[in-house]
Amino acid sequence: MTPDLILSARKLCKHVPSLDGSSRQMIHILNGVELEIKSGETIAILGKSGSGKSTLLGLLAGLDLPTDGDVYFDNIRLNALDEDGRAELRLDKVGFVFQSFQLLPNLTALENVMLPLELKSDANAQAHARALLQRVELGNRLQHFPRQLSGGEQQRVAIARAFVARPAIVFADEPTGNLDTTTSAHIIELLFEVNREQQTTLVMVTHDENLASLCQRRLLLEDGIIREASP
Amino acid sequence: MNTLRLAWRLLKRDWYVGELKILVLALIIAVASITSIGIFTQRIDLAMHDQTGRFLGADLMLNSPRPVDKQILDKADSLQLQISKSLLFSTVVVANNEYQLAQVKAVDDHYPLLGKIEYTRQLYGDTIESANGPPAGKAWLTQRLLKRLQLKAGEPFELGDSELLVGGILKHDPGQAGSFMPIAPRMLMHYSDVGRTGIIQPGSRITYQYLFSGKLADRERFARWLKSRLNPTDRLIGGKQGSPALNTALDRAEQYLALASMLSVMLAGIAIAMAANRYGQRHFDQTALLRCMGATQSRLVKLYSLQLVMVGTVASVLGCLLGYAAQQGLVLVMVELLPDNLPHPGYAPFITGFLSGLLTLSGFSLPAILRLKSVPPLRVLRRDSMPLPISAVFVYGLALLSITGLMWWQSGNLSLTLIVLLGTLACVLILTVLSTIMIALSRYLLGYLQGPWRTGLMQVIRYRRANQLQILALGLALMILLTVLLLRIDLLDRWQSQLPAHAPNHFVINIQANEVKPLADYFQGQGITTEGLYPMVRARISAINDVPVLEAVPAGARIDEALKRELNISWASSLQKNNKLLDGQWWTQADSGKYLISVEWGLADRLNLKLGDTLSFQSADKQFKARIRSFRKVQWDSFQPNFYIIFPPATINEYPHSYISSFYLSSEMKDIINELIREFPGLTVIEIDAIMQQVKVILDQVTLAVEYVMLFVLIAGLVVLLASLQSSMDERIHTAIIMRTLGAKRAFLRKGQLAEFTLLGLFSGLLAIAGTEIITYGLYSRVFKLGFELHMPFWILGPATGIVLILLTGWLYTRRVIMQPPARILDN
């Protein structure tokens, strides 16, 4: 593997039983995906609804295991790790931004952002979280609960949370899927700014061509395989 | 440290969501129930010990036919126990040319170690409490002895070779343990006077009595040490070795009370399990996110376990405090049965309550919490990713194991625990079948109902699993309460009303042979009809067919009360009325003087006696044997003098005996008792109606105490209601919002809910009263042998109570459901 490769997928396959539950009727979501991502790159994975984008993201981030093939994360073969091993890897190196924000409703904005640092036993969790919330222009919303924030504000909290532990890579799953156009633009701007500042690798799943165009590379997932999208 | 902080923070915020409150509430009820009973029983135990002490005049009493080894006294001394020595013997006292056998106790300066001796200086004088016995040269005699010897206070009398003065009239001696009806009157004298009486000779029948008192730990050490060094003829009384029968009865009552409190723990456990389940389900998303962020499974287990410990700690502490307060209430309820100034409890019941809380919580909530660790992180992307279901064996097994463990711990008796547990399970099974039938039948009502009632019934049927649990929980609690209430109100009244009119209500005992004729004349003169005068010899059964009695009887009969004490045995030529010959033959005139016996059938059955068996008896220092000739059935509640063992005439009349009789006296003739005692000062009159009144008070208070404990069960049942409502709350709100959107008015929804709770209450109440009738039918027909009738007022009381309780609780808890604005349909 090339030294600056952070993530690669080899012949990645994911098959799931059909909805009627019979194992003979398998749905082939991914059919031998080959992928290499270098450290610091920004990558968009495009595809139609149901094309398997989120499944691929789950496999790349180590949230799920492939039916066949391998994912290498920082030269570590994810298949070789058990779920706790993969959890530790995520703790050290991965951040997430989700379409539905996934903030804990019972924690304030500040506490939500502190969460990854607290899992890492960072003694300065609060200071770091506070700084990053200020960076995403939510310095005056620290003690607000998610339900007291707008969709855009919630996603900014989620961005702060994704980057607060300075991960090597951030996975974003349709980060603007639940937001209006104006808010989306602002969120994307912020996401890319913070990403640039921290020189993080960004892997984004989206069906939004405009959003994808902001990334250095654009990949298209179609019929279970991936290819470079035409510019 | 971070996990701890995180656990605390997440928990703090979770508090505002319902199920944690329910979990905490359920746990508080469980712990309060255990703690209150724990404190209560400990206080009674301490008080009982205190009373035992006063009863013995010490903490421990050692009786021996010979002086004990010096090393025993040295050991007691080294453990800093106080020691007092007494001598007990029977001897003849002489005064005014009267000779009277007396039971004498010679006591040293330390006697009694606990309690006070009561005496008067003159006959009928004021009672004086004394911490010591009489001084040297003086003796305190009972009134009976004084009268027999025609003595007055201050006068001299002869005892062996010496002369003593009457120093006072003995009213109460704390050390008079044992004999309820002593044959000879009693006297207390100083130890130092014994020598000069010359009474103690080699071979004299004397009991050397040693009393010990000191700190609990010291005397328990001493008792343990002593036990292995005792001769077979030595008897150690007090402590745990020889507690009186009352203690045993109270111990058993405490065990049952503790087990009854376990019912609230079971119900609370169900509520805890339901709340924990919902808590677990609501935390799937949070857990998936934490997993996604890199939290390992072990860390999640730690996080949620810490939360469990925090919740458990807070709830258990609150439960302990509530338990302490509730226990004060229990003391108030039973105030007439309990000694004044109950001792304060130690820390033990609080620690037990606290640990029980943690055990209950983990036993019922651990499966739901452990399930969280298997939430897949992929759930953040795919919400249909669910954790693995938990094995039902694990869930029910753990719950059953923890409740059995707790019950065993509480009662200290595994077989009793299993009996109660299986009994409860059987009850639950029957009630489950009944409630299933009830809900199934209620479907047929749907066609006849309209409007809110129809909506309400549909809700009952829709949530039937949760509702069935609810009906069961509350039905079970109500059933026990109704049963206890019914027994309290009904049982004693019915028993009393079934006694024949003018059944004897007084017993008179300690009648001496020379008093028989004058007494019979006296009764006749007063127009009082007695049940006859019966002779009575006190004797212990010592052997059956020459095998020592404890070896001869079945293992289960070794603790039979009849073997622990001396029995009153009698002789008679003819069969008493209310006695029925079951087997064998009654004797004829020709059998007079033969050592034959007729044995009460129940005793014979318990001891496995056969016709022709030979029983050996020990009366004072004499032994005699007799062969069983017949078995009799005795009607004990006839209130005539009844006997376990009867001899033919001219047999045991050579042994010391007194007579017994019983008679009826109407309340306006009660003054005769005083006159009777003045006329015959040696007699003891026992007022049965006063005892019956006392029994009623005891029964009232004991059942009140049980009802009090059952209140916890009822509250726990209501918490199950809350938990089941909580589990259906989201769906209820969702349904209400849709109904509102479709145009249903709030009033319509409210009426529907009220109808649902009314029906639930009605079902619980009906189930409860049906169960109560089944139980009382069983008790009345099998145990009490009373006729059974349905208790119609309870058929109204039960359902009404169920409706009020469920309606109030349910309505208060679900009010907010109908307050939801229809606009929420637009929310995500």
Side-chain angles (χ1 to χ4, degrees):
Chain A
M1 188 182 275
T2 326
D4 62 348
L5 268 188
I6 185 164
L7 189 67
S8 61
R10 301 273 176 256
K11 295 179 183 162
L12 207 55
C13 295
K14 184 71 182 178
H15 307 157
V16 293
S18 67
L19 278 179
D20 66 5
S22 87
S23 54
R24 276 172 289 177
Q25 290 282 318
M26 298 297 279
I27 299 174
H28 299 263
I29 303 174
L30 301 177
N31 277 322
V33 169
E34 294 281 343
L35 180 66
E36 289 193 339
I37 298 171
K38 290 184 192 143
S39 187
E41 267 189 322
T42 54
I43 292 180
I45 299 173
L46 285 153
K48 291 181 203 154
S49 287
S51 60
K53 303 187 295 290
S54 293
T55 306
L56 178 60
L57 186 87
L59 292 175
L60 294 177
L63 297 179
D64 196 8
L65 286 176
T67 314
D68 209 353
D70 288 307
V71 176
Y72 292 89
F73 194 117
D74 232 4
N75 288 329
I76 300 165
R77 188 169 156 256
L78 291 189
N79 293 23
L81 299 177
D82 62 4
E83 175 36 46
D84 272 350
R86 297 198 300 277
E88 276 169 31
L89 195 74
R90 290 196 296 271
L91 181 64
D92 273 352
K93 305 197 162 159
V94 182
F96 288 94
V97 179
F98 302 103
Q99 179 177 357
S100 53
F101 323 134
Q102 299 278 15
L103 299 178
L104 291 187
N106 298 328
L107 297 189
T108 61
L110 181 64
E111 287 166 347
N112 262 294
V113 178
M114 282 164 64
L115 211 52
L117 294 172
E118 288 196 314
L119 289 174
K120 289 178 98 163
S121 300
D122 187 323
N124 295 317
Q126 201 182 76
H128 290 311
R130 194 183 286 268
L132 210 58
L133 274 168
Q134 269 156 359
R135 172 68 191 83
V136 297
E137 300 158 20
L138 284 176
N140 56 346
R141 292 276 199 274
L142 299 179
Q143 299 306 330
H144 284 57
F145 288 95
R147 64 175 177 279
Q148 298 168 317
L149 300 172
S150 69
E153 287 172 328
Q154 288 190 48
Q155 195 58 306
R156 278 190 271 159
V157 175
I159 290 172
R161 185 182 64 187
F163 285 95
V164 73
R166 296 197 160 264
I169 188 164
V170 167
F171 291 96
D173 180 27
E174 303 275 14
T176 58
N178 278 358
L179 302 171
D180 62 68
T181 323
T182 324
T183 314
S184 293
H186 185 55
I187 290 293
I188 290 305
E189 195 181 321
L190 211 52
L191 177 64
F192 277 87
E193 271 176 28
V194 179
N195 187 59
R196 229 178 353 261
E197 286 161 19
Q198 298 201 0
Q199 298 181 329
T200 315
T201 308
L202 179 66
V203 178
M204 186 160 55
V205 159
T206 183
H207 59 270
D208 182 345
E209 288 282 353
N210 290 333
L211 179 52
S213 65
L214 296 172
C215 295
Q216 293 161 348
R217 279 172 70 196
R218 296 183 309 131
L219 305 169
L220 183 65
L221 183 63
E222 213 168 30
D223 300 328
I225 52 167
I226 208 158
R227 61 183 168 78
E228 296 284 336
S230 49
Chain B
M1 184 59 202
N2 268 300
T3 309
L4 184 69
R5 207 163 50 213
L6 186 63
W8 172 240
R9 181 177 303 145
L10 290 171
L11 184 70
K12 216 167 50 180
R13 296 289 152 72
D14 270 337
W15 176 248
Y16 297 101
V17 188
E19 68 267 0
L20 262 188
K21 285 183 201 156
I22 288 176
L23 195 143
V24 166
L25 187 63
L27 197 57
I28 288 177
I29 301 298
V31 174
S33 165
I34 293 176
T35 314
S36 62
I37 299 300
I39 298 172
F40 181 69
T41 46
Q42 202 204 23
R43 291 181 73 182
I44 290 189
D45 278 350
L46 291 172
M48 283 309 290
H49 173 260
D50 206 34
Q51 282 198 336
T52 311
R54 277 185 230 149
F55 178 68
L56 295 178
D59 292 314
L60 286 173
M61 177 190 274
L62 172 61
N63 286 341
S64 175
R66 62 191 72 80
V68 297
D69 266 2
K70 190 173 171 299
Q71 61 154 338
I72 290 178
L73 301 181
D74 288 346
K75 178 71 180 178
D77 201 38
S78 72
L79 286 166
Q80 295 182 325
L81 297 180
Q82 290 171 274
I83 306 167
S84 165
K85 289 184 235 173
S86 314
L87 288 175
L88 274 74
F89 51 91
S90 293
T91 190
V92 173
V93 185
V94 187
N96 302 320
N97 284 329
E98 297 279 346
Y99 291 76
Q100 176 62 47
L101 185 73
Q103 287 190 337
V104 181
K105 181 149 133 188
V107 298
D108 65 8
D109 290 331
H110 309 295
Y111 181 88
L113 297 178
L114 290 177
K116 298 263 195 309
I117 305 170
E118 289 174 14
Y119 73 103
T120 57
R121 291 226 168 81
Q122 302 290 333
L123 211 56
Y124 310 118
D126 292 337
T127 302
I128 301 163
E129 285 193 348
S130 169
N132 299 103
K138 291 190 173 170
W140 296 342
L141 285 66
T142 56
Q143 186 183 325
R144 216 168 115 206
L145 183 57
L146 212 62
K147 291 224 160 189
R148 298 250 166 99
L149 296 169
Q150 298 173 16
L151 273 170
K152 290 198 187 65
E155 289 180 352
F157 63 91
E158 286 172 39
L159 186 71
D161 301 336
S162 70
E163 195 175 84
L164 294 172
L165 293 178
V166 177
I169 294 99
L170 182 63
K171 305 283 279 188
H172 170 74
D173 170 17
Q176 68 186 78
S179 177
F180 175 48
M181 289 179 280
I183 297 289
R186 310 174 66 237
M187 162 182 146
L188 211 59
M189 62 183 281
H190 198 270
Y191 198 93
S192 61
D193 290 333
V194 176
R196 60 192 177 88
T197 63
I199 291 170
I200 312 283
Q201 302 293 335
S204 301
R205 217 180 114 77
I206 296 168
T207 300
Y208 293 80
Q209 191 171 76
Y210 301 84
L211 302 180
F212 305 95
S213 259
K215 285 187 195 150
L216 179 67
D218 294 337
R219 54 179 200 262
E220 280 189 349
R221 251 173 78 193
F222 177 64
R224 271 197 304 276
W225 177 88
L226 189 57
K227 245 183 141 182
S228 59
R229 289 166 176 80
L230 291 179
N231 291 314
T233 47
D234 294 345
R235 255 185 95 205
L236 185 66
I237 305 169
K240 282 179 182 160
Q241 279 68 34
S243 46
L246 182 62
N247 274 9
T248 321
L250 215 78
D251 270 356
R252 203 161 298 161
E254 286 171 1
Q255 279 180 352
Y256 280 111
L257 222 52
L259 286 172
S261 77
M262 281 294 121
L263 204 56
S264 55
V265 179
M266 278 188 226
L267 288 183
I270 294 171
I272 288 171
M274 289 170 78
N277 214 17
R278 188 170 149 82
Y279 183 80
Q281 281 173 2
R282 242 181 15 83
H283 283 71
F284 285 173
D285 287 345
Q286 171 181 303
T287 310
L289 192 71
L290 290 171
R291 296 277 279 137
C292 186
M293 286 179 186
T296 56
Q297 287 187 326
S298 61
R299 187 150 189 192
L300 286 171
V301 170
K302 195 171 153 194
L303 180 92
Y304 290 117
S305 305
L306 276 171
Q307 288 194 339
L308 219 55
V309 171
M310 288 172 191
V311 169
T313 305
V314 172
S316 297
V317 167
L318 290 175
C320 285
L321 294 176
L322 183 66
Y324 182 75
Q327 161 276 147
Q328 295 281 27
L330 196 54
V331 171
L332 281 180
V333 164
M334 295 186 69
V335 68
E336 284 179 50
L337 290 188
L338 301 175
D340 299 335
N341 302 323
L342 271 183
H344 283 286
Y347 295 112
F350 293 100
I351 294 169
T352 309
F354 184 83
L355 292 178
S356 304
L358 294 187
L359 191 65
T360 310
L361 182 62
S362 45
F364 285 88
S365 67
L366 213 53
I369 299 303
L370 286 181
R371 191 179 177 208
L372 282 172
K373 76 172 185 162
S374 67
V375 171
L378 192 64
R379 190 179 160 86
V380 291
L381 297 176
R382 297 174 57 103
R383 290 215 69 219
D384 55 347
S385 302
M386 298 292 278
L388 296 170
I390 346 163
S391 123
V393 175
F394 176 55
V395 177
Y396 293 115
L398 189 66
L400 208 63
L401 199 70
S402 47
I403 200 82
T404 313
L406 261 179
M407 287 171 83
W408 189 8
W409 185 26
Q410 286 286 305
S411 67
N413 185 334
L414 184 61
S415 55
L416 187 64
T417 298
L418 291 177
I419 289 168
V420 172
L421 203 64
L422 291 176
T424 312
L425 286 179
C427 256
V428 167
L429 203 69
I430 293 168
L431 294 190
T432 307
V433 172
L434 283 179
S435 60
T436 308
I437 295 170
M438 225 184 258
I439 292 179
L441 287 179
S442 65
R443 278 170 189 276
Y444 295 103
L445 282 176
L446 269 180
Y448 303 97
L449 295 175
Q450 284 181 338
W453 286 104
R454 191 180 153 81
T455 317
L457 186 56
M458 279 171 74
Q459 292 275 83
V460 171
I461 295 168
R462 181 183 306 160
Y463 302 117
R464 65 179 166 281
R465 276 192 65 187
N467 281 337
Q468 190 170 15
L469 187 69
Q470 176 45 44
I471 293 172
L472 267 180
L474 211 71
L476 192 65
L478 271 178
M479 181 185 84
I480 297 167
L481 264 175
L482 286 177
T483 307
V484 175
L485 189 70
L486 200 142
L487 289 180
R488 175 154 69 91
I489 295 174
D490 203 37
L491 190 61
L492 205 63
D493 286 349
R494 291 190 58 177
W495 183 53
Q496 275 178 319
S497 69
Q498 291 197 359
L499 289 180
H502 303 306
N505 56 357
H506 291 79
F507 273 94
V508 51
I509 56 173
N510 289 344
I511 307 164
Q512 299 306 307
N514 59 358
E515 289 170 330
V516 169
K517 177 82 176 60
L519 190 66
D521 293 346
Y522 178 83
F523 282 139
Q524 205 174 11
Q526 294 289 342
I528 297 168
T529 320
T530 71
E531 296 291 319
L533 281 147
Y534 296 90
M536 198 163 80
V537 173
R538 295 179 58 78
R540 189 187 291 271
I541 300 175
S542 58
I544 299 171
N545 296 329
D546 294 323
V547 179
V549 68
L550 290 181
E551 292 170 29
V553 297
R558 279 177 204 148
I559 51 164
D560 201 288
E561 281 298 317
L563 300 182
K564 286 187 188 166
R565 58 184 172 85
E566 289 186 318
L567 301 175
N568 295 317
I569 61 182
S570 189
W571 67 84
S573 53
S574 56
L575 193 63
Q576 274 174 284
K577 79 172 179 184
N578 292 324
N579 276 211
K580 196 175 147 195
L581 206 64
L582 291 183
D583 202 359
Q585 285 177 322
W586 192 256
W587 35 78
T588 59
Q589 195 91 41
D591 293 318
S592 289
K594 290 187 187 163
Y595 274 69
L596 302 170
I597 46 174
S598 174
V599 182
E600 192 265 335
W601 181 81
L603 177 73
D605 187 47
R606 294 201 302 275
L607 304 188
N608 198 21
L609 301 177
K610 308 265 181 312
L611 285 179
D613 282 352
T614 306
L615 296 195
S616 305
F617 296 90
Q618 173 97 36
S619 178
D621 55 348
K622 304 218 168 52
Q623 287 198 342
F624 49 92
K625 286 184 195 175
R627 195 161 51 79
I628 301 175
R629 181 71 170 290
S630 65
F631 293 128
R632 279 168 303 124
K633 188 173 181 190
V634 172
Q635 193 188 333
W636 292 104
D637 60 5
S638 65
F639 292 104
Q640 68 180 27
N642 280 313
F643 303 94
Y644 278 124
I645 313 268
I646 296 182
F647 279 75
T651 45
I652 51 171
N653 43 344
E654 63 186 271
Y655 300 107
H657 60 271
S658 61
Y659 287 77
I660 178 171
S661 185
S662 70
F663 56 90
Y664 173 77
L665 213 53
S666 62
S667 53
E668 54 269 24
M669 290 174 76
K670 283 271 182 187
D671 284 348
I672 290 182
I673 299 171
N674 292 335
E675 206 182 301
L676 180 71
I677 293 172
R678 261 201 305 278
E679 201 80 18
F680 302 92
L683 300 191
T684 304
V685 178
I686 301 166
E687 295 176 66
I688 301 294
D689 41 5
I691 293 176
M692 289 282 279
Q693 192 51 40
Q694 226 173 338
V695 168
K696 196 168 159 51
V697 170
I698 292 174
L699 200 66
D700 272 356
Q701 298 213 347
V702 170
T703 47
L704 258 178
V706 175
E707 282 164 24
Y708 193 91
V709 174
M710 283 304 134
L711 277 185
F712 281 112
V713 180
L714 203 62
I715 298 170
L718 290 176
V719 180
V720 174
L721 168 69
L722 294 184
S724 74
L725 287 177
Q726 170 78 31
S727 64
S728 60
M729 195 57 114
D730 291 345
E731 206 182 322
R732 282 170 185 276
I733 289 177
H734 188 63
T735 310
I737 290 170
I738 292 176
M739 299 272 282
R740 293 273 286 139
T741 311
L742 297 178
K745 289 186 177 164
R746 273 191 187 148
F748 178 84
L749 296 180
R750 181 167 48 233
K751 282 180 194 162
Q753 272 187 348
L754 293 179
E756 181 191 348
F757 295 133
T758 307
L759 288 168
L760 275 181
L762 179 72
F763 288 168
S764 300
L766 285 176
L767 197 66
I769 183 63
T772 304
E773 295 285 23
I774 293 173
I775 292 174
T776 43
Y777 172 75
L779 285 177
Y780 278 26
S781 60
R782 295 288 163 103
V783 183
F784 303 126
K785 312 276 185 209
L786 291 172
F788 174 79
E789 290 166 17
L790 284 181
H791 303 83
M792 290 326 283
F794 281 75
W795 282 87
I796 296 169
L797 181 70
T801 315
I803 290 172
V804 170
L805 286 175
I806 294 197
L807 202 57
L808 267 179
T809 318
W811 171 243
L812 284 175
Y813 197 67
T814 55
R815 254 179 341 194
R816 65 192 168 103
V817 167
I818 58 160
M819 304 309 279
Q820 303 298 325
R824 272 196 60 189
I825 193 108
L826 300 173
D827 293 355
N828 188 4

